[in-house]
Amino acid sequence: MSFLTPIALPSLPTEVLEIILTHLSQPDLTQCVRVSHAWNKALVPYLWRTLAIHSRHSLKRFITNEAQQALRRNATFVRELHLVHKALYDKSLPCRKTLISDPGVMLLEVYTISLFTNLRALELEPVRLVRPNPEFDLEIFALVRQNPHLRRLLVNVKMDPKTLINLVTKHTPHLGDLDLVVSWRGDVKALLDCLPECIRTVRLRNVVHDAPSNAQGKTSDASDASTTLARHHHALESLHVAGNLAGKQEEVLVPFLESCSPKLKSVGGTGGGMGSYFFGNARIAKILSNLGIVCKELSQYTLPNNVSDADLAELIAANSEWTNIELYTRQVGPQAAAAIVECCEHLEALDIMHNGARGLSGFHLQAVLGKATKLRSLQAHWLLNTDKITAMNILSSQWATTSLEHMDLKIEVQRAIQASRSVQRQVLRRLGQQKKLRKLVIGGMTTDLATGEFVHQRDCLEMTLESGIDELVDLKNLEVLDIHHMDHRAGVPELEWMVANLPRLQILIGMLDTLRPPSDEVREWLSTHRPSWR
Amino acid sequence: MPVTLTSLDDVKFTVDKDVAERSILIKNMIEDVGESDSPIPLPNVSSAVLKKVIEYCEHHRNDPVQVQDETDDPRKRSNDIEEWDMKFMAVDQEMLFEIILAANYLDIKPLLDVGCKTVANIIKGKTPEEIRKTFNIVNDFTPEEEAQIKKENEWAEDR
């Protein structure tokens, strides 16, 4: 296009002007609106799109007469409002009190607030009040009520339970994003249920579920009152619920989740000693799995504080895509152990280090080793006397994985039998086949059955050349070898072998902490050749 | 396969089809008309501007086609203009605006984006007086009016 007069910015087509404006900040626009009448007229609506006053400095400049008059003219352009300072809207302007139809609710209409009717986003931050105003949330109520196009609402102010639910039920039909930052005590189920169908993201950061209609006492899975919701929250993409659901997460979350579609991609939230609300509960985990959300890592933090063996088993069995099971401080009973074996096909890391695991035995570990082709890390060290992996376990079948990098096991080998050395050699050969191994920890304290004392493990690998340590010759990646608390017999020849054949071995533990005091020979060798080894 | 474009002032430009099709408008026209030798008229673009536009399209002929993403927040876009584009956009203001308008009309989004970003960069950081000087704008505010406007919007100045 060729103009006889120069092209002026304000006369550009709107769609072009808006692209230019996306690269200009609000401060830039304050300069632009002073350039000329034409620039002012075109750009003031864009300058006033966001009203987010966060500093005292800006606030002081906002409560001038000029700015307040401009506010009255331009409030209609405001799309996003961040209410931080009460003074923002509480000037000495006339205000009136009106009784509205909701019983017991008094609406305080502050003149300036009523100007905002075009909001798409509203952020309510904690307000610094000179005197606390108990009717503050009613004013917010009014503000939301007159902005039916609200799409995004962030609430970080104290709000009474009924108000919030009313807000959402009746007055925000287009709400897409709700972020409840402040801690809120109310009926979480009712809140979730009344969310509009177009809701996309929900974040309840610190809620305490308090539903007056429910009596105390557990809602066990038997008393299932999951009514089918009228609404389908088919647009929901992300849900986060944290806080304290008073043990009622099934009652609160199940109906809501059942109203969601596979668009739901992200869930999260823990609290109240219940671990993860979503993945610490088998029923909820199943619903999520139907929606395509599968938790692949089971950690102790996912679980409720006092999960029973049966519940843990159910949880594990709920999906077979686990890649990581790390239950470090949790007891694994027989049912859960069996479930782990069932669902370990994709397992990459298993960590069951609790001192005193009951039910998880060497049989289970061997079964996992036989099934988990991708296993990289197996840590089951602190098993007490009855729970260990025996040579017989290990040799009973092949291992499915060749990618083990980290093994931490207590291996029991009978030393008194005649074939002991041959068995030890075979065990070490099996370990030696894991060429990616970088960290190997074997042996550990056990309880002497006779005396009940905690002692070094006696029925363990000797770790000598005669008994097969040379089978580890292929472990060129081995960086850590830990054989302390074992009654092994490694001496200088073995040390020399290690230096010659395990080039990456940096850390060796267990030469100085043995049942019998280490020989002078060993001490001297270590101090001259490898002072860092012990 | 060459395509002929005719400017507002009747100048003909022959370009390769893939270059011409960087303009979605032209691309759609070609699809509608089918294989034809007749030139495509562009009555809204002068020859001087069309020449520049063609230069841009030829340089960027192998760029991947940008996918229109509705949820794309423009503020999150990478903000660097590449060097060639910067040199390309170092033209007088009238030409700059004409390129922008032509890119809008011809629907060449990358060129439109670069043009708009260039204009924004010119404006950024300038006082009102500096902006007026740059764009040759007459100040039609009285000093009192301008002071009033400043006070009205001062709250938005810091960020």
Side-chain angles (χ1 to χ4, degrees), chain A residues 380-391:
Chain A
H381 187 100
W382 278 103
L383 307 180
L384 279 191
N385 214 26
T386 49
D387 308 315
K388 60 223 172 267
I389 192 163
T390 63

Side-chain angles (χ1 to χ4, degrees), chain A residues 1 13 15-16 23 26-28 30-32 34-37 39-40 48 51-52 57 61-62 73, chain B residues 44 77 98 100-101 104 117 120 123-124 128 132 137 140-141 149-150 152-155 157-159:
Chain A
M1 292 188 238
E15 66 267 23
V16 173
H23 296 290
Q26 211 178 29
D28 290 331
T30 61
Q31 306 305 300
C32 291
R34 286 160 57 188
V35 167
S36 72
H37 274 103
W39 279 55
N40 186 285
W48 282 80
L51 196 48
H57 188 54
R61 290 170 166 185
F62 190 77
R73 282 198 315 270
Chain B
N44 286 346
R77 281 202 300 256
E98 296 215 25
I100 289 176
L101 290 170
N104 189 40
K117 179 109 229 309
I123 296 174
K124 256 183 164 345
R132 286 184 209 118
I137 300 172
D140 54 1
F141 284 127
I149 294 171
K150 181 167 158 57
E152 281 176 356
N153 301 300
E154 236 175 358
W155 55 270
E157 274 178 19
D158 295 328
R159 198 51 48 192

Side-chain angles (χ1 to χ4, degrees), chain A residues 140-153:
Chain A
I140 303 305
F141 189 79
L143 181 57
V144 174
R145 216 164 81 105
Q146 69 203 33
N147 283 284
H149 298 289
L150 211 52
R151 276 173 181 59
R152 192 162 64 78
L153 179 62

Side-chain angles (χ1 to χ4, degrees), chain A residues 272-315:
Chain A
M274 296 304 291
S276 160
Y277 284 129
F278 295 95
F279 300 112
N281 176 294
R283 187 164 167 223
I284 294 179
K286 192 93 186 77
I287 297 175
L288 290 173
S289 151
N290 288 340
L291 290 173
I293 301 177
V294 178
C295 180
K296 298 207 176 166
E297 298 187 8
L298 181 64
S299 84
Q300 53 175 339
Y301 305 109
T302 314
L303 302 175
N305 279 346
N306 297 310
V307 64
S308 73
D309 185 32
D311 284 343
L312 181 54
E314 201 193 342
L315 196 55

Side-chain angles (χ1 to χ4, degrees), chain A residues 1-3 6-9 12-13 15-16 19-20 22-28 30-40 44 47-48 50-55 57-59 61-62 64 66-67 69-70 73-74, chain B residues 8 44-46 49 74-75 77 79 94 97-98 100-102 104-105 112-113 116-117 119-121 123-128 131-132 135 137-141 145-146 148-159:
Chain A
M1 292 188 238
S2 190
F3 286 80
I7 300 168
L9 186 107
L12 290 173
E15 66 267 23
V16 173
I19 298 178
I20 297 176
T22 61
H23 296 290
L24 292 176
S25 67
Q26 211 178 29
D28 290 331
T30 61
Q31 306 305 300
C32 291
V33 298
R34 286 160 57 188
V35 167
S36 72
H37 274 103
W39 279 55
N40 186 285
V44 157
L47 190 159
W48 282 80
T50 305
L51 196 48
I53 296 179
H54 290 276
S55 72
H57 188 54
S58 306
L59 182 62
R61 290 170 166 185
F62 190 77
T64 59
E66 290 86 350
Q69 279 171 28
R73 282 198 315 270
N74 298 319
Chain B
L8 159 83
N44 286 346
V45 189
S46 74
V49 179
R75 273 165 290 184
R77 281 202 300 256
N79 277 331
E94 192 182 333
F97 280 120
E98 296 215 25
I100 289 176
L101 290 170
N104 189 40
Y105 166 67
L112 180 59
D113 284 347
C116 290
K117 179 109 229 309
V119 171
N121 283 344
I123 296 174
K124 256 183 164 345
K126 288 195 166 69
T127 65
I131 296 175
R132 286 184 209 118
F135 290 102
I137 300 172
V138 173
N139 183 3
D140 54 1
F141 284 127
E145 281 174 331
E146 202 189 320
Q148 164 101 0
I149 294 171
K150 181 167 158 57
K151 257 201 117 56
E152 281 176 356
N153 301 300
E154 236 175 358
W155 55 270
E157 274 178 19
D158 295 328
R159 198 51 48 192

Side-chain angles (χ1 to χ4, degrees), chain A residues 331-382:
Chain A
Q331 300 221 12
V332 179
Q335 289 186 59
I340 292 177
V341 171
E342 267 306 301
C343 303
C344 68
E345 272 167 43
H346 300 273
L347 205 58
E348 295 174 27
L350 179 61
D351 179 339
I352 319 230
M353 297 278 280
H354 180 59
N355 190 352
R358 300 272 174 264
L360 184 86
S361 73
F363 287 107
H364 296 111
L365 293 178
Q366 177 64 12
V368 169
L369 282 161
K371 264 182 90 171
T373 52
K374 298 190 183 144
L375 199 62
R376 288 179 298 109
S377 166
L378 177 60
Q379 298 179 74
H381 187 100
W382 278 103

